[in-house]
Structures are given as C-alpha cells and as structure tokens.
Amino acid sequence: MIAYNHKWLDALLTKDAAREWHKKGLLSDEKWQTIQEQHPSNFYSPNVFIRIGLAIFCMILLFAALGLAFLFMEPDSSTSAALFSLFWGTVWIVLLESWAIRSARHFGSGIDDMLLYAGASLIIGSLWNLLPYDSEPLMYCCIAWPFLLAAGIRYGDRLAAAATYCCALLIVLLVVNKIPKLALYLLPFAGMAFSAAAWFFARNGQRRYHWRHWSGGLAVVELLTLVSFYASGNYWVVQQAGLELFGLEQAPLAWFFWAFTFAVPALYIFLGLRRKDRFMLDIGLGCVAAMVFTYRYYFHVMPLAWAAATGGAVLLATAYFSIRYLRKNAGAYTYDAGTEKSLLQEAEVQVIAHTVGGQTTAVPVKKDTFGGGQFGGGGASGEF
Amino acid sequence: MEGQSWGKALENREWLKMLIFVKKMNRHILNNLLRQELIAPEDAGEIAQYEATKPFSLHWELKTLLYLGVLLINAGLGYLIYENIDSIGHAALIALIGAVSAGCFWYVVRRRQPFSRGEVESPTPYYDYILLLGCLTFLLMEGYWQYQYGIFGTRYGLATFIPMVLFFGLAYRFDHRGVLSLGITALASWLGVTVTPRDLLSQNDFNSQTIVQTGVFLGALLTAVPFLCERWEFKKHFSPTYLNFGVHILMVSCLAGMMALDHPVIYFPLLCCAVGFFTWYASSRASFYFLTVAVLYGYIGTTWLIFRYSPSFDFTFYLFYFIVSCAGIIFFLTNHKRFFKTQTP
C-alpha cells in the first residue's frame, strides 16, 4: 500500500522509540548500538532546513519545466490544456514512484513532497478543467477527494491527509446544505457528527499496529476533527453562517450554541488532562481564546486595552500557580520538559525575536510620527 | 546548550516526535525487540513500567501561556497609554507601567544567579518571562517620556542608545537570548536600520546608500561578534542569535545594493564573499540552517544579475536557466557532504 520501503519505515519507528528509552537510561549503550545495527534504514531524509531548500528549488524547477513544455506543445483549447496537465501530472507521479522513491530512496526530502503535491494538483486541476463552466462546488470536491485520499494512503503524507479530511467535511456540509428547509438546523449537527465520527476513526486508526505508517496523517486528522467539532457549534460560526447562507440575523437554538461555545473548551481541557491527551488539551486552550473572541464580538464588556492587559495578567497568574503547583506535587503531571527541549527552546527564542523584537525600532525619529508602532507589540492588536 | 544542538535535534528526527506526539506504538515495538532478542526481558519490564507511568509534561503549554501573558500585558498597557495619552488618567497609567517595570526588575535582581561566562540556568521557570516583561514595559515608559516630555530633546540617538545599553547589559548579566535580540534591534535602530526579521524588507528604504552601507557594516559586525566570543569563551551560546541577525542583514543589504542602488560591481562580490563565508561556516559546524539560507540568497543574487545583464528578453532561455540552475542546486544540496570533505564529523 505505502510507496516507501516499509521495512525501513519500521526501522525508523523502532529507533525512535529505542532512542527515548536509551536517553532515559533504560537501555545500555551496547543494546542501543545493536538495535541501530539490526534496524537499518537507508532513506535519504535530510535535515528540515535542507528539506525546505530542496522543496523550494524543486518547485521552481517543476514550474520552469512545465512552462517550457507548454511553450513547445502549445495546447490551444481548454481540453488540450487539461490533457496537457493530466499528462504532466502523471509524469511527475511516475517520476516520484520510479525515481525519487525507488531509486533515489527519498523520504521526506522535500523533493518527493514537492513531486507529489505538484503531480496531484496538476491531475486534480486538469479534471476540474474538464468540468462544465457552471458546475457546483460539490462536484469539484467529489472529484478531488479520491485523489487526495489516494495520495494520503499511498505516500502517508500529512498534508494530503489534512486535505482529504477537509474535502470530506466540505462534501458532507454541501450535501446537507441541499436538504430543503431543514438545512439550517442540520448543518451544525452534521458538522459535529462528522467530526466526532472522524475523531473516533483517527484515534482507533492510530492504535492499529497495521496502520502504523499512517499514524502521522491520522494524527493530523485527529487534530483537525477537534477543531472542526468546536467550530461546528461555536455561536459566532453558526450565526455568521446563518447570516451568510440563510439571511438570518439570529441563529435558531441560540441558547444551545452559546452553551456549546462555553462548555466544549472546558470539556476539551478537562478530558485532555484526564486522559493525558495532548491534542485535546492544546486545542482546548486554543478554543478558550476562540470563546473569548466570540463573547467579546457580541458583548462589549471591557475596552480592548483593559481586556488585553487583564487577560494577560490572568494568563500569567494561571501559568505561575500551575507551575508552582506542579513543581511541588510530583505525580502523573509534570513541568519537566521532555526530550524535545533544545529544539523548542530555539523555536521560542526565534518567536521572541520575531514578535517583540520590532518594538525597539520604532522609537520616534520625529515627534509627530510617534504612533501605532511604538505601543504595538505582538498579536493582540487585531480584531476582538 | 550549544548552538548546533537544535540542528542536531532536527537531524535526529526529534521534530517528527514532536509533531506526532503519539506513543501508542511503543508496546508493539517493545514486543518486536523482545522477540528479536535485542532487549533483555528485565529491561523490557522496566521499559514497560516507564511507558505506563510516564508523567504527562505540561511544560510547553505553560511556557506558551507565560509568553502570551507577557505579550498581552505589554500590548494592553501600550494600547492603554496610546488611547489615553491626553486624558487626565495618563499619569496614573504611566505610574502603573513604571511600577510593573520596576517590580519586574526588582524580582529579577533579587532572584539573580551569580554571573558566569557560560550558560546560566534560570533560577525559576518564570524568571525569563518576568525579565522580558520588565524590558518591554521599560520601552513603553521610555517612549512615553520622550513623547510627552521630550526628555531626550532632539537627540533621538539617545532614545535608542539607552535601551540598547540596558538590554545588552541585562542580556549578558542575566543570560537571556530574547533580551539579547531586543538589544540587537535597538543597536540597529540606533544605527538607523530596522532589522526585525519580519520588518527587514518592508520598513527600510533600501534606495538610500547610507542604509545599505550601514546594513552591510552591521551585518558584518554581528557576524564577527560570535567568533570573538568563542575565542574568549564568553557566552558562546549567544552565537546563533547574533549570526541569525547577521546573515539576514548582511545578505539583504548586499542584494539591496545590487538591485536598488544598481551597484553590482561592489555588492555582488560582497554577496559572494558572504555566501562563501556562511557556506563554510555551515559546513564546519554542520549547521544546515545557514547552508540553506546562504544558498537561497546567493541564488537570488545570481539570478538577478543574469537577468539584468542578459542581452535580450528570451523566455525560453530563462526557463532553461531555471531548470539547469535548480537541478544544479538540488544536486549540490543533496550531495553537500561530498563537497565538504574536510569537515570533521
């Protein structure tokens, strides 16, 4: 099923697990050495920055090649343009299969990613091009979905998995939207039901040993289902969708959606902590922010500046007391960082450099230019 | 932590783990290793015990909350004075901001660790964030004073010079790389350039000769500092911060000199030197970030030069150029180890 050499993929999984045990002192150095020797994997998987560079240059190369082919073949009608891109999409998938994966042993190198994305989008785009001009969005989604699914399964690609899920969700919503009269009531619940079903599917899929090579893609789907579940019942989303699709100022069942807006983040955080489910916890924290924005959109309780300052103080205090509690009460939860410490530390420094670094630069050069930039800071100055 | 450690961490595929977070597979892996007799049964028991009782780390969630809290407080306070600048309450507000800043610095000084030339572990988990909040609110207050009372008069340089000295001092004394990058941006604005990675292109007028020259000088300076620090064994772990600013300022200034000022005769050789230097640095320290960045900037410069001086506009030629050059760079990047045979593993 999967295009990559699955013995090598298994070896990577094994080594990842064994590396952690070795770091924690549960495996001796010799054992770790033998495990590495017994599980060889000969993929070409470069460092993430090289991967980014390779992806960029591969993309330019593919565009230029396509442009050159276009100049020479000169497809003149829309059908021939579709056939042209279908042909080149197929060429790139064949190149990906036979050269990048089979002979050059690429795995997550930027080149195989880019060949897959370029090939898949060319094929899907060519089929879209063949559709009659006035086709519905549903048609487009239905055509794209099988190809996205195939890409996700065949190459275990995370982006393809995410696209497959989003496409499927869109198909469900577009179909439900066609039901006369009931669509308004059914849409949010259809979104919730589909997200919940997909969540169970993704979670159980990750537990299956036979599906181990797809666990990355399924994890991404799990993450997205949590987001789409909350979004389906969030009052702001429901109200805006009602306004947009049905011209309703006030969504029906407002009390239910308000309750949903407040209850689900709490539920996510509670369950995330209880079940030690990091996805649920992190999405829950994000949903709290969405909840605050939703509430402030309809009720202006406090001026923006005060809200930001007090909100920040509340966050700081919450984090402070949680850390204090965790450091005093060792147990199932901890403040100690895991093995990823060094990488995330670096990411954090980068984030600081990008977000607050700009503050020093806008110290006034002329008195009258003193303005927004000086007090700006990060993030929170957007829409509340 | 050495600067290269995150490169190493990336290489060890730890980023994959970080993205996936799933460890349900480990039971199967353990069984397989037992069956292959690569793990002794008593070890396996311990590992199973560890997997079952592994504590759930809330480290990054809480750190993110701390950081967001600092950002929100700073943005909120800043917006508050901005809104109330001419109203009666602003004296109270500025007193509040001053109190926050002073409180932060008081905490930082009271809980300080002894100075060290190496890396210093923060005394408490919140320490770094409190210091950052103190620095940011100090900036707010200073900007307000200058606006309201013009304490620096027309000597605008002083308004950036004071925070620069303060931030560099704090960064070195309390070992904080976030404050160091604040200090570097203050240094740059003292020299007259905007250098945040995000604003590097959007907020500078690269048509001005002085700005380009200052940029080249500043970039070269920031690139040179880490080497002096490493020779003197003084805060070596600050190197990546300096180099990251240095590489972008230097390369963008060279490109601006070529494109906006149209002086490729001076700036293209300079760009080549910079690209060569960072490629050498990347290969000697196995830092793939700088390799990719140097190659990208070099490619942009070379491509611009070829298009600028190619005799006639020929679309086919350009496409051929892209195909050949990209293929060449892909070959270089995939075989970069072969090009740097001298490097120590």
Side-chain angles (χ1 to χ4, degrees):
Chain A
M1 283 262 258
I2 201 146
Y4 300 97
N5 182 329
H6 53 88
K7 275 194 184 135
W8 294 351
L9 290 177
D10 276 342
L12 286 180
L13 284 175
T14 307
K15 281 191 275 193
D16 277 346
R19 181 178 296 116
E20 187 188 334
W21 299 331
H22 174 237
K23 263 190 190 158
K24 293 279 171 196
L26 298 163
L27 273 184
S28 61
D29 289 346
E30 307 90 72
K31 291 249 170 66
W32 168 228
Q33 272 307 323
T34 15
I35 288 177
Q36 278 178 303
E37 279 157 21
Q38 297 281 317
H39 291 87
S41 58
N42 290 320
F43 284 125
Y44 173 70
S45 312
N47 166 285
V48 63
F49 296 114
I50 300 280
R51 182 181 185 179
I52 293 170
L54 284 175
I56 293 173
F57 287 110
C58 184
M59 191 176 69
I60 304 175
L61 177 64
L62 292 179
F63 268 116
L66 196 68
L68 205 61
F70 193 87
L71 281 185
F72 284 119
M73 291 164 93
E74 287 184 351
D76 39 15
S77 67
S78 94
T79 320
S80 61
L83 287 177
F84 170 81
S85 51
L86 189 64
F87 172 73
W88 283 102
T90 321
V91 166
W92 286 340
I93 297 292
V94 169
L95 202 64
L96 166 70
E97 286 273 339
S98 61
W99 171 70
I101 294 179
R102 196 120 335 130
S103 65
R105 311 183 326 269
H106 282 235
F107 171 61
S109 73
I111 292 179
D112 58 339
D113 305 306
M114 205 38 83
L115 278 171
L116 171 64
Y117 301 150
S121 37
L122 269 181
I123 291 174
I124 293 172
S126 75
L127 293 178
W128 281 357
N129 214 9
L130 288 174
L131 282 179
Y133 184 67
D134 53 352
S135 308
E136 292 180 52
L138 185 58
M139 270 313 280
Y140 288 99
C141 288
C142 287
I143 286 178
W145 191 73
F147 290 99
L148 295 174
L149 182 67
I153 291 177
R154 176 78 184 148
Y155 305 101
D157 185 77
R158 291 191 189 82
L159 191 66
T164 313
Y165 174 71
C166 294
C167 189
L169 181 67
L170 209 59
I171 291 176
V172 169
L173 293 180
L174 288 170
V175 167
V176 172
N177 195 24
K178 283 190 185 304
I179 301 173
K181 287 179 185 161
L182 283 176
L184 169 64
Y185 299 96
L186 286 180
L187 266 179
F189 296 102
M192 286 179 220
F194 182 74
S195 306
W199 182 77
F200 278 107
F201 172 78
R203 266 191 82 83
N204 290 331
Q206 287 173 72
R207 294 219 174 114
R208 286 196 192 189
Y209 187 62
H210 290 297
W211 289 12
R212 61 193 175 282
H213 301 317
W214 291 277
S215 62
L218 287 168
V220 173
V221 171
E222 186 190 338
L223 200 76
L224 287 174
T225 57
L226 291 170
V227 177
S228 67
F229 181 78
Y230 181 64
S232 312
N234 177 285
Y235 183 80
W236 183 81
V237 175
V238 172
Q239 195 261 341
Q240 294 290 317
L243 192 65
E244 194 77 11
L245 297 173
F246 308 100
L248 283 179
E249 276 297 327
Q250 165 87 38
L253 287 176
W255 61 271
F256 172 79
F257 292 116
W258 271 120
F260 189 93
T261 306
F262 288 104
V264 167
L267 194 73
Y268 275 2
I269 292 178
F270 175 72
L271 285 179
L273 285 174
R274 183 78 188 274
R275 307 170 47 126
K276 298 192 178 177
D277 182 338
R278 190 173 304 280
F279 279 176
M280 218 176 227
L281 176 66
D282 290 355
I283 298 291
L285 291 173
C287 287
V288 170
M291 177 184 95
V292 172
F293 287 138
T294 306
Y295 186 73
R296 278 193 57 89
Y297 186 83
Y298 296 99
F299 304 98
H300 300 279
V301 272
M302 220 192 267
L304 173 63
W306 280 111
T310 43
V314 168
L315 278 186
L316 214 57
T318 315
Y320 175 80
F321 287 112
S322 311
I323 293 173
R324 256 175 66 135
Y325 177 82
L326 285 178
R327 278 155 63 94
K328 279 188 188 149
N329 303 275
Y333 303 97
T334 173
Y335 178 69
D336 293 336
T339 40
E340 310 88 5
K341 194 173 175 185
S342 55
L343 174 63
L344 279 168
Q345 230 164 21
E346 187 56 42
E348 184 200 357
V349 172
Q350 291 291 321
V351 166
I352 291 180
H354 278 266
T355 48
V356 297
Q359 286 219 330
T360 47
T361 57
V363 166
V365 178
K366 272 183 255 137
K367 197 171 173 174
D368 52 14
T369 56
F370 183 72
Q374 173 65 20
F375 295 135
S381 45
E383 290 163 33
F384 267 78
Chain B
M1 209 64 61
E2 286 293 317
Q4 286 78 39
S5 60
W6 60 307
K8 288 280 186 303
L10 288 167
E11 216 174 340
N12 291 337
R13 305 176 59 78
E14 279 185 9
W15 58 280
L16 255 185
K17 267 194 264 168
M18 198 185 84
L19 290 176
I20 305 177
F21 294 119
V22 261
K23 290 270 132 200
K24 289 150 213 159
M25 223 61 77
N26 287 3
R27 206 160 22 106
H28 291 283
I29 292 170
L30 190 57
N31 284 339
N32 285 345
L33 287 175
L34 259 178
R35 217 174 307 132
Q36 294 164 351
E37 298 181 346
L38 291 173
I39 285 187
E42 56 272 18
D43 283 346
E46 267 182 40
I47 290 173
Q49 174 75 18
Y50 161 76
E51 288 284 334
T53 58
K54 191 160 53 171
F56 185 63
S57 171
L58 296 172
H59 187 84
W60 291 103
E61 281 78 8
L62 290 170
K63 279 208 140 186
T64 312
L65 287 189
L66 279 174
Y67 185 56
L68 281 179
V70 167
L71 275 189
L72 274 177
I73 290 182
N74 179 52
L77 288 178
Y79 198 54
L80 261 182
I81 1 175
Y82 182 65
E83 274 185 334
N84 296 313
I85 200 108
D86 293 320
S87 75
I88 338 152
H90 72 266
L93 269 177
I94 206 69
L96 174 71
I97 290 172
V100 170
S101 184
C104 290
F105 286 134
W106 175 74
Y107 178 87
V108 166
V109 171
R110 207 176 62 109
R111 306 296 294 268
R112 69 186 180 276
Q113 299 280 68
F115 179 77
S116 146
R117 295 165 79 90
E119 195 168 0
V120 180
E121 192 73 17
S122 303
T124 64
Y126 350 95
Y127 192 81
D128 287 352
Y129 296 90
I130 306 253
L131 177 56
L132 190 65
L133 182 63
C135 290
L136 292 175
T137 40
F138 174 81
L139 265 186
L140 280 183
M141 203 165 56
E142 199 219 6
Y144 172 82
W145 281 340
Q146 168 67 5
Y147 175 79
Q148 197 70 12
Y149 307 115
I151 45 166
F152 303 116
T154 48
R155 286 165 297 164
Y156 300 116
L158 208 56
T160 45
F161 183 76
I162 290 175
M164 176 188 95
V165 171
L166 178 75
F167 291 159
F168 272 113
L170 289 173
Y172 275 94
R173 175 61 188 85
F174 301 114
D175 198 65
H176 194 300
R177 285 163 67 186
V179 176
L180 180 70
S181 34
L182 283 179
I184 293 175
T185 41
L187 165 67
S189 57
W190 183 55
L191 291 173
V193 231
T194 306
V195 292
T196 349
R198 194 187 47 189
D199 302 328
L200 190 57
L201 282 171
S202 59
Q203 294 195 358
N204 286 318
D205 174 22
F206 275 110
N207 285 316
S208 136
Q209 188 129 16
T210 12
I211 287 199
V212 171
Q213 283 164 358
T214 318
V216 170
F217 166 73
L218 181 66
L221 179 73
L222 292 176
T223 312
V225 167
F227 291 91
L228 295 178
C229 291
E230 272 167 36
R231 166 159 294 184
W232 296 332
E233 299 273 319
F234 189 70
K235 296 283 183 199
K236 280 197 293 190
H237 61 287
F238 281 178
S239 299
T241 313
Y242 278 114
L243 281 173
N244 190 30
F245 275 101
V247 67
H248 290 294
I249 297 171
L250 187 59
M251 303 267 190
V252 169
S253 304
C254 286
L255 287 181
M258 285 170 62
M259 297 177 190
L261 298 184
D262 208 11
H263 285 317
V265 190
I266 310 166
Y267 289 104
F268 185 67
L270 216 56
L271 180 74
C272 291
C273 290
V275 168
F277 171 79
F278 276 100
T279 317
W280 166 80
Y281 177 82
S283 67
S284 67
R285 310 294 163 96
S287 162
F288 299 105
Y289 173 71
F290 289 110
L291 180 64
T292 307
V293 167
V295 167
L296 268 174
Y297 278 117
Y299 186 73
I300 294 172
T302 316
T303 307
W304 182 85
L305 201 69
I306 287 176
F307 280 25
R308 172 84 172 69
Y309 290 101
S310 63
S312 63
F313 181 85
D314 183 359
F315 203 60
T316 325
F317 165 74
Y318 290 164
L319 290 174
F320 265 118
Y321 163 76
F322 278 124
I323 291 176
V324 173
S325 61
C326 286
I329 288 180
I330 287 173
F331 181 75
F332 170 71
L333 283 177
T334 46
N335 296 288
H336 62 86
K337 290 204 178 90
R338 231 184 280 168
F339 289 91
F340 306 123
K341 283 220 171 90
T342 47
Q343 86 182 58
T344 44

